[in-house]
Amino acid sequence: MGSQAVLTLVSDEPDLCRREDSRLRVLVSAKLLTTTDEFPVTVRDLSATGAKLEGSKLPPKGTDVILKRAALEVFATVVWRDGDRCGLQFEEPLTNAELLQQMNAPVPKAVPSLEEYRRPGLRGVRVSASELAAAREWAMPTGRQAFRG
């Protein structure tokens, strides 16, 4: 009789692993932060209440984490892990605006090449006599500077 009561209780409980929100299939990079480590991950799908991640090194089930991508930082718990994949349940649901922002988040620009940082050279560039005279006039001390000598 006692086991029958337990079965009734279990069958009346909602399935906690069941997805209530529809998930958006995405393929974006993010970081998973714990109190001691940082894990680069790929977000495979995303909903208002959770996400499925993929990565070579993931924290174990039950670990509290922060999922960070672009301007999004959300507290979550790892609810399952299977090899190089895991599922997160967010502490607070994401708004529709936050979800859409992750779909359209700008991709960081690549690091510019050295050529883009080089200052223009003056070698081989001829300065006209009038430009040289203007530069000398501009560089002449005026006012108090002229008296300092």
Side-chain angles (χ1 to χ4, degrees):
M1 184 129 157
S3 61
Q4 190 69 11
V6 171
L7 287 175
T8 304
L9 284 175
V10 171
S11 65
D12 289 342
E13 288 293 316
D15 187 6
L16 296 176
C17 296
R18 206 76 158 140
R19 294 180 185 158
E20 295 177 8
D21 295 319
S22 61
R23 297 211 170 214
L24 304 170
R25 291 194 185 274
V26 295
L27 186 62
V28 294
S29 61
K31 291 181 184 177
L32 203 57
L33 308 172
T34 66
T35 55
T36 58
D37 214 347
E38 181 176 301
F39 306 93
V41 295
T42 301
V43 180
R44 296 303 237 160
D45 64 25
L46 184 66
S47 76
T49 57
K52 180 166 72 172
L53 310 177
E54 188 175 84
S56 60
K57 185 178 169 192
L58 296 171
K61 178 181 174 180
T63 305
D64 291 328
V65 296
I66 297 173
L67 178 64
K68 184 173 181 176
R69 177 172 193 279
L72 177 73
E73 287 189 13
V74 60
F75 290 99
T77 303
V78 178
V79 291
W80 62 266
R81 180 172 173 207
D82 183 19
D84 61 349
R85 292 187 179 204
C86 74
L88 299 183
Q89 182 176 6
F90 299 148
E91 192 172 289
E92 296 287 327
L94 298 179
T95 63
N96 285 340
E98 288 172 322
L99 281 171
L100 289 175
Q101 181 184 15
Q102 293 312 302
M103 297 299 292
N104 299 324
V107 176
K109 293 183 180 178
V111 177
S113 65
L114 289 177
E115 282 73 34
E116 292 175 2
Y117 281 116
R118 296 180 77 180
R119 66 177 174 80
L122 296 176
R123 223 174 260 185
V125 176
R126 297 286 180 199
V127 178
S128 69
S130 62
E131 291 173 330
L132 185 58
R136 284 187 179 144
E137 184 181 337
W138 180 81
M140 287 186 76
T142 57
R144 292 182 184 170
Q145 295 173 345
F147 293 111
R148 290 187 186 158

